[in-house]
Amino acid sequence: MVAPEVKIDTVTPLKDAEVATLAHGLQRVLFNPGIHWLQHPRTGMYNFTKAVQDVADRDEFDFDRLPRFVRPSQDADLRELLKQSGRKFAGSTSSLTTAMSQVYFALNGRKLLNTQTPSFVDAPRDFSAGARIPASIVLRLTDEGTYLVDADKSTDEKPQPDAGILSELGHVLERQLTMEPHQFSRFLKTSSDPFQPHEMRDKREAYHYSASKNLVMRSQLDCHDDRLPRKTFDIKTRATVAIRRDMLNYQNNRGYLISRAEGFLESFEREKYDLIRAAFLKYSMQVRIGKMDGIFLAYHSTGQIFGFEYLSLEDIDKSISGSHEESTQAFHLCVGMLETIFERVTADQPERVSSSCHI
């Protein structure tokens, strides 16, 4: 198998859905490289509205007013698109990219990352241990003889109360960054004009669908700006290293601040270094599946936001492989090989309602 043989096309969705735009004047981050401080550390001046600085407390936010996450096996639209396209497998970025990453490690995992910055010249340049955790997915057989791919949750331990704080705050911040304060306040439990269940809970998110020879891939579209070359982009929220290393005590670690651009700790440089090793590979795959332009990063401590950065897909690729073209070829190979794995797994167990796949 060679990369040019793996063709990836766009599949037209069954219905259109609205894609959000950035609020608070954050759009200018998209067109100006580098870190954008929310509040300048030396002068104290705000580069954006102060209203976006404080992160809404998890206990104040009503998550029942958010649109539901629809697993691939429960997504009627994805199932119908799979049927109409004549393909055999379908999944979302959340269920596919963990497996694709393992394929990438098998193909190219020993190549060093482009992490060298002033404070990290002698630091490790490989993928982090967390990024290499094996993937477990489930292929669920449909009545049509096709398979929908879910992330395997069957072996997950019972989560501790604060273990999911970063995922939950990611949903909170996504709304906070794309809504004016009066709109965002309608998600709070104290709101006098809250969103009603039918307004948001049952609202379908916007998705882009890509497809290879036998696999349909669903990617949620977080945000758009028509001035970008590829129009849409992902929103990612990144907690500081002190929060990530001890999530169960995140409230005690909010005092760790980002106070400088460079440095081994308390800096944007540190957070970027960790991102490259732990998350950039998955981000690049998500962006490619969604045919997006890049990612908008918000750096925070779960209590406050420190700054923002926009990274195009080309920027991300430079850190991973040094070349946009090389990363594109690697992605095509990962998709093609994952298809082959799915074919072999289902051929061995064709009558099973579901097939587990551990990579």
Side-chain angles (χ1 to χ4, degrees):
M1 180 185 298
V2 293
E5 293 177 352
V6 183
K7 305 296 183 184
I8 299 177
D9 304 313
T10 295
V11 177
T12 304
L14 298 179
K15 57 181 75 75
D16 293 329
E18 182 182 359
V19 184
T21 57
L22 290 171
H24 312 286
L26 293 170
Q27 294 91 337
R28 67 175 179 269
V29 176
L30 304 175
F31 307 100
N32 293 281
I35 294 294
H36 295 254
W37 290 92
L38 175 57
Q39 183 182 19
H40 193 270
R42 186 174 68 85
T43 64
M45 295 294 293
Y46 283 89
N47 292 313
F48 304 94
T49 174
K50 188 178 180 180
V52 78
Q53 184 174 48
D54 294 332
V55 179
D57 191 273
R58 177 180 64 175
D59 294 334
E60 298 175 357
F61 194 88
D62 191 343
F63 290 91
D64 288 335
R65 297 174 193 171
L66 286 173
R68 295 183 182 90
F69 171 74
V70 183
R71 297 176 67 177
S73 62
Q74 299 169 342
D75 189 343
D77 283 9
L78 181 60
R79 184 167 175 168
E80 180 61 25
L81 280 176
L82 180 58
K83 180 181 177 180
Q84 290 183 8
S85 71
R87 292 174 170 87
K88 187 175 180 179
F89 308 100
S92 67
T93 53
S94 58
S95 61
L96 295 173
T97 55
T98 53
M100 284 186 196
S101 295
Q102 296 302 316
V103 175
Y104 180 89
F105 296 144
L107 292 173
N108 210 23
R110 292 188 177 183
K111 183 170 183 176
L112 295 179
L113 297 163
N114 227 351
T115 59
Q116 288 184 308
T117 54
S119 302
F120 295 91
V121 173
D122 298 321
R125 294 175 55 198
D126 57 349
F127 288 99
S128 69
R132 289 181 174 273
I133 292 175
S136 182
I137 53 180
V138 178
L139 283 70
R140 303 192 187 280
L141 181 63
T142 70
D143 295 338
E144 294 86 16
T146 58
Y147 292 85
L148 296 169
V149 185
D150 285 340
D152 183 7
K153 302 293 185 182
S154 63
T155 58
D156 287 1
E157 297 180 1
K158 184 178 180 180
Q160 298 188 58
D162 292 327
I165 182 64
L166 298 186
S167 175
E168 292 177 355
L169 285 184
H171 295 300
V172 172
L173 285 170
E174 183 183 324
R175 304 294 164 174
Q176 188 170 338
L177 298 174
T178 58
M179 289 180 162
E180 297 301 331
H182 70 278
Q183 295 174 303
F184 176 73
S185 67
R186 298 185 67 193
F187 282 109
L188 304 181
K189 295 177 181 178
T190 56
S191 173
S192 59
D193 180 30
F195 284 111
Q196 298 303 307
H198 69 277
E199 289 184 85
M200 297 297 291
R201 191 63 175 162
D202 297 326
K203 183 179 179 182
R204 184 172 176 82
E205 300 278 21
Y207 296 110
H208 175 92
Y209 301 91
S210 292
S212 54
K213 179 182 178 181
N214 227 3
L215 174 63
V216 177
M217 299 170 281
R218 185 192 77 184
S219 175
Q220 184 176 326
L221 300 177
D222 290 344
C223 220
H224 87 280
D225 191 301
D226 287 339
R227 295 169 293 178
L228 291 171
R230 293 181 288 269
K231 312 299 181 186
T232 57
F233 57 94
D234 223 347
I235 293 178
K236 299 294 185 183
T237 56
R238 185 66 172 178
T240 60
V241 61
I243 300 293
R244 298 193 312 275
R245 296 290 177 87
D246 189 12
M247 286 188 289
L248 299 184
N249 295 299
Y250 75 95
Q251 291 178 320
N252 298 328
N253 295 321
R254 286 176 170 176
Y256 178 96
L257 308 177
I258 296 179
S259 57
R260 50 187 174 163
E262 296 180 350
F264 192 76
L265 290 171
E266 297 184 334
S267 70
F268 286 110
E269 184 187 13
R270 173 54 189 260
E271 307 309 328
K272 183 76 165 291
Y273 168 76
D274 286 348
L275 268 171
I276 293 170
R277 297 185 65 218
F280 266 25
L281 179 61
K282 189 173 180 179
Y283 287 177
S284 72
M285 291 177 174
Q286 291 172 341
V287 169
R288 281 187 162 86
I289 290 172
K291 296 291 178 72
M292 291 182 276
D293 191 73
I295 59 172
F296 179 92
L297 280 165
Y299 297 91
H300 68 94
S301 67
T302 74
Q304 70 178 90
I305 294 176
F306 301 107
F308 310 97
E309 184 177 15
Y310 183 72
L311 296 169
S312 69
L313 179 58
E314 289 80 1
D315 295 329
I316 299 170
D317 289 343
K318 187 179 294 185
S319 294
I320 297 172
S321 68
S323 163
H324 177 64
E325 292 73 21
E326 182 176 330
S327 289
T328 299
Q329 289 186 17
F331 173 72
H332 281 243
L333 284 174
C334 288
V335 171
M337 293 191 72
L338 191 63
E339 278 186 329
T340 300
I341 292 170
F342 288 171
E343 291 283 5
R344 291 184 180 179
V345 168
T346 55
D348 289 342
Q349 303 173 341
E351 302 303 325
R352 292 192 61 175
V353 173
S354 64
S355 300
S356 295
C357 186
H358 307 280
I359 301 179

